[in-house]
Amino acid sequence: MKAAILSVGTEILFGQIVNTNTVFLSRELNTLGIDVMYHYTAGDNSGRLSDMLKMAFRDCDLVITTGGLGPTEDDLTKETVCEVMGDTLEMHQESLDTLYAISKRRGYTLTENNFKQAMMPTKAVVFDNDAGTAPGFALSSDGKTAICMPGPPREMKRMWERRVKPYLLSLSDSVIYYRILRTFGIGESELETVLLPLIDAQTDPTLATYAKEGECSLRIASKRRTLEEAKVAVNAMAEKVAEIAGEYIYSFDDEDLHQVVGKKLIERNITISACESCTGGLLSERLVSVPGISKVFDRGLVTYTERAKMDELSVKRETLDAFTAESRETALEMVRGLKAKTGSRLCISVTGVAGPDAIGDKPAGLIYIAVSFDGREEVRVLNTGKTDREANRNVAVLHMFDLINKTIG
Amino acid sequence: MKAAILSVGTEILFGQIVNTNTVFLSRELNTLGIDVMYHYTAGDNSGRLSDMLKMAFRDCDLVITTGGLGPTEDDLTKETVCEVMGDTLEMHQESLDTLYAISKRRGYTLTENNFKQAMMPTKAVVFDNDAGTAPGFALSSDGKTAICMPGPPREMKRMWERRVKPYLLSLSDSVIYYRILRTFGIGESELETVLLPLIDAQTDPTLATYAKEGECSLRIASKRRTLEEAKVAVNAMAEKVAEIAGEYIYSFDDEDLHQVVGKKLIERNITISACESCTGGLLSERLVSVPGISKVFDRGLVTYTERAKMDELSVKRETLDAFTAESRETALEMVRGLKAKTGSRLCISVTGVAGPDAIGDKPAGLIYIAVSFDGREEVRVLNTGKTDREANRNVAVLHMFDLINKTIG
């Protein structure tokens, strides 16, 4: 099957936002064995969108659109798709009921233009939106299918997972199965190099590496007649990969590192507290995103000032004066103070230079992490070499979770 | 002038890389007052590229391509552009000399396919590449211009700055200026409704609303002969918008709410501490992203368990038993405990149900925020109506910053 992806949104043409929807959909479609022939982005302009839809359907079976389903006058995707596919819009009662329910729950009154969102093509398969107000749909005609989804990435992704992907799978006569392995501590080129014998020998399953900030994913995909066959092929390949690069793999099921670590803490009932300086609460924030973490996560302290480090964690004035707040010694005193205060079985601390500027002779990206677990202590020192504040904080938190993971074993 | 951006690259269609060239070029073209009508991305396929070029030239004066100028067989951009514009390729002596010089400097021998990079359309204005080997060019015919640049972002950006931008400036006679206003507390449809008189009367400046999670942006743009004229028009319109919807606007310059609030706290030297339950450190984390915040941000406490709330913030056992941890009363005791502990001039607390599940009779999305400032206290109660954990936490933190903003005035 051949597909084109059409994005609607003036803010993309202005270069205001990066079109992450297209990146996401391209990967997903490729994994389903659907070839993406081109991407196209236009503003809310019916004529251009119509031209492009017609052109896309000349050599594609499937066109996926995102955006332009909102309630305002310039949201024209539905009207244009109807015109090209030879259908008309009518009020979709179920979508309207949902809009009423949402407005009631959130306590606002529907305005005239809200109703527009509940209008759907008469022959459409409607996809409900459980993360926003605009429903999506699939509309087929003469062997061609248009699928329209909302533009906000969170809504689009939810709809894709829950409704669109199952719909597309039901159209195909072969099945794709894939697993995404997540690694930490190895770069993309190095991972590709060690796996080269497997990659070069590949026809099916296929292997592909993807770099993310500070980590790297590996996708193993197989397309077979039955799900069972595809699963067997993918799992056998995952075992081969684990033999070669097992030490770097922290998830065989595309889970984030903080989810993997959080679950482990819950399963083993290991209580945890954290104190953060340069990461500003990012570790706590990620921990809290793990369902059920309240069972083991006692507290997080963001001790940003020297005074807070002394008050909350009994860091000594002399230590700060002699070694500065961004030091191995301060990281250790922080974690010891936290341990004394909370009694949590695992305590972790972080302090360092987030950037963009150096602090004294300490460069941006120099970060100290200390962990205390069952009487053992360890300090990990990072030097990211980066000046980007956000990147440094993100990499620091990945290392904190990696250190917790390795510490509890 | 109207333009289209065409990217050539299979790796983009696979979703392996994000098309940052297009984002960069869109912004740059907009600042030059050139309207970007669409983006198009295809693989190295001559037929599709040719179709798209013809379609683009129907309604655009300018087409900019990136990629496909390399030395290999599947690099077909130049050939296709020549075919569409009615020109042919010939050896460009100056480019060839440069290639020889590069190969000599780097110590390798030119192969047959390297020469392909020095072939240029006979009528082209050639742009030399000082960051790589493939030159670019502009080719005009019948009032239409194609500009072809290499795909690697670093090479493309260098060529843009040094050669292409000056070339385009010499062709243009208008400039664009825009501002982005950010609002909180009003939905996109409602904002559009109140601004309808201004939007309907628009020719220039133009107004457009964009919804983001929990908030809404408004872009005001003007295209005039001089930057000065465009600025005057945009600023006058911004004032009219402020008269109608001023209470919702927190930034006239596209700043995030936490940046605006963080800067205000720093400017006025208002010390702040925060204690968070359901948001898990997200507020602290955003505060810390504001440069210079260490001057006023004392500490953040993530008191996730009841014990932590009692230990750190002196919340009473009886309060938790009588009203639960997710209550107005607990939020108030949290903020009072924080005030007593830190003495920060502004203290803020949050507790509630992030979701996805309800806690007892409290639904997901029911969140209590308490603020204490100069002896005044206030509690804001939210009911987002959402079960999405991440969305609820994000909306809660936006409300916390909004409450801080309104409290300090």
Side-chain angles (χ1 to χ4, degrees), chain A residues 71 91 99 109-119, chain B residues 189 193:
Chain A
M91 184 55 75
L99 274 183
T109 312
L110 293 182
T111 57
E112 187 70 29
N113 52 17
N114 284 126
F115 295 119
K116 187 167 174 284
Q117 293 197 292
M119 300 288 284
Chain B
S189 334
T193 305

Side-chain angles (χ1 to χ4, degrees), chain A residues 239-289:
Chain A
E239 277 178 33
K240 285 187 198 168
V241 170
E243 278 168 29
I244 296 174
E247 64 189 300
Y248 302 108
I249 301 167
Y250 64 79
S251 170
F252 284 86
D253 294 297
D254 199 22
E255 283 187 298
D256 288 326
L257 183 54
H258 62 272
Q259 293 286 345
V260 171
V261 173
K263 276 190 193 169
K264 230 188 238 185
L265 291 168
I266 297 168
E267 274 165 27
R268 303 199 194 160
N269 202 24
I270 298 173
T271 54
I272 177 168
S273 287
C275 52
E276 306 177 61
S277 189
C278 59
T279 54
L282 191 57
L283 180 104
S284 290
E285 198 260 315
R286 294 231 177 118
L287 260 185
V288 168
S289 75

Side-chain angles (χ1 to χ4, degrees), chain B residues 372-391:
Chain B
S372 164
F373 181 64
D374 287 350
R376 282 184 289 139
E377 288 175 345
E378 186 183 336
V379 179
R380 185 184 286 190
V381 184
L382 310 182
N383 199 338
T384 68
K386 293 182 183 175
T387 55
D388 184 297
R389 202 172 164 82
E390 207 179 314

Side-chain angles (χ1 to χ4, degrees), chain B residues 116-263:
Chain B
K116 186 167 176 283
Q117 293 196 290
M119 300 287 284
M120 287 285 140
T122 64
K123 303 192 187 82
V125 176
V126 176
F127 303 130
D128 69 301
N129 181 345
D130 74 345
T133 53
F137 64 89
L139 180 61
S140 297
S141 168
D142 294 332
K144 308 284 186 184
T145 300
I147 291 182
C148 300
M149 288 191 283
R154 207 170 56 92
E155 298 180 31
M156 186 280 291
K157 286 180 188 170
R158 282 286 297 167
M159 190 177 287
W160 170 265
E161 288 299 336
R162 289 175 51 250
R163 306 294 315 269
V164 180
K165 195 165 145 184
Y167 174 84
L168 285 173
L169 279 171
S170 72
L171 301 182
S172 171
D173 57 358
S174 66
V175 275
I176 216 166
Y177 177 74
Y178 68 85
R179 288 177 80 170
I180 294 171
L181 279 52
R182 303 273 293 256
T183 71
F184 183 79
I186 184 167
E188 189 187 5
S189 334
E190 203 187 335
L191 183 61
E192 207 187 78
T193 305
V194 299
L195 296 178
L196 213 56
L198 297 180
I199 293 175
D200 273 356
Q202 78 186 340
T203 45
D204 181 304
T206 55
L207 279 86
T209 56
Y210 304 96
K212 283 188 63 178
E213 187 168 62
E215 47 179 328
C216 189
S217 297
L218 179 74
R219 178 204 298 269
I220 307 175
S222 174
K223 187 172 173 181
R224 300 288 165 104
R225 274 179 314 129
T226 70
L227 183 63
E228 205 42 52
E229 282 178 42
K231 276 189 178 174
V232 168
V234 167
N235 293 341
M237 180 58 84
E239 277 177 33
K240 283 188 197 165
V241 169
E243 277 168 29
I244 297 175
E247 64 190 300
Y248 303 109
I249 300 168
Y250 64 80
S251 171
F252 284 85
D253 294 298
D254 199 22
E255 284 187 298
D256 287 327
L257 183 54
H258 61 273
Q259 293 286 346
V260 172
V261 173
K263 276 191 193 169

Side-chain angles (χ1 to χ4, degrees), chain A residues 176-402:
Chain A
I176 290 252
Y177 177 73
Y178 69 85
R179 289 177 79 171
I180 294 173
L181 279 51
R182 301 275 292 257
T183 70
F184 183 79
I186 185 167
E188 189 186 7
S189 3
E190 202 188 335
L191 184 62
E192 211 181 80
T193 305
V194 300
L195 296 178
L196 213 56
L198 297 180
I199 293 174
D200 273 356
Q202 78 187 342
T203 43
D204 180 304
T206 55
L207 278 86
T209 56
Y210 302 95
K212 283 186 63 176
E213 186 168 65
E215 48 177 328
C216 189
S217 296
L218 179 75
R219 181 201 295 269
I220 307 175
S222 175
K223 188 174 175 180
R224 302 287 166 105
R225 275 179 314 131
T226 69
L227 183 63
E228 204 41 54
E229 282 177 42
K231 274 189 178 175
V232 168
V234 167
N235 293 341
M237 180 59 83
E239 277 178 33
K240 285 187 198 168
V241 170
E243 278 168 29
I244 296 174
E247 64 189 300
Y248 302 108
I249 301 167
Y250 64 79
S251 170
F252 284 86
D253 294 297
D254 199 22
E255 283 187 298
D256 288 326
L257 183 54
H258 62 272
Q259 293 286 345
V260 171
V261 173
K263 276 190 193 169
K264 230 188 238 185
L265 291 168
I266 297 168
E267 274 165 27
R268 303 199 194 160
N269 202 24
I270 298 173
T271 54
I272 177 168
S273 287
C275 52
E276 306 177 61
S277 189
C278 59
T279 54
L282 191 57
L283 180 104
S284 290
E285 198 260 315
R286 294 231 177 118
L287 260 185
V288 168
S289 75
V290 180
I293 199 73
S294 58
K295 191 182 155 204
V296 294
F297 178 45
D298 180 28
R299 76 195 83 171
L301 305 179
V302 183
T303 49
Y304 210 57
T305 55
E306 294 199 337
R307 191 191 139 209
K309 290 182 183 73
M310 294 187 287
D311 275 10
E312 296 285 345
L313 301 166
S314 311
V315 172
K316 292 193 217 67
R317 180 75 263 168
E318 302 81 64
T319 308
L320 295 169
D321 288 343
F323 303 101
T324 80
E326 299 76 27
S327 65
R328 174 189 296 269
E329 290 75 12
T330 299
L332 263 176
E333 287 199 5
M334 284 170 72
V335 86
R336 285 173 188 159
L338 187 66
K339 180 84 189 179
K341 178 177 211 173
T342 63
S344 291
R345 194 167 158 208
L346 192 142
C347 286
I348 189 157
S349 72
V350 63
T351 184
V353 189
D357 303 318
I359 300 182
D361 59 351
K362 313 252 164 126
L366 182 62
I367 291 159
Y368 301 87
I369 300 167
V371 69
S372 164
F373 181 64
D374 287 352
R376 282 184 289 139
E377 287 175 345
E378 186 182 337
V379 178
R380 185 183 286 190
V381 184
L382 311 183
N383 201 336
T384 68
K386 293 180 185 174
T387 55
D388 184 291
R389 203 172 164 82
E390 207 178 313
N392 280 332
R393 288 160 61 202
N394 189 41
V395 168
V397 168
L398 282 171
H399 273 277
M400 290 173 83
F401 280 110
D402 183 59

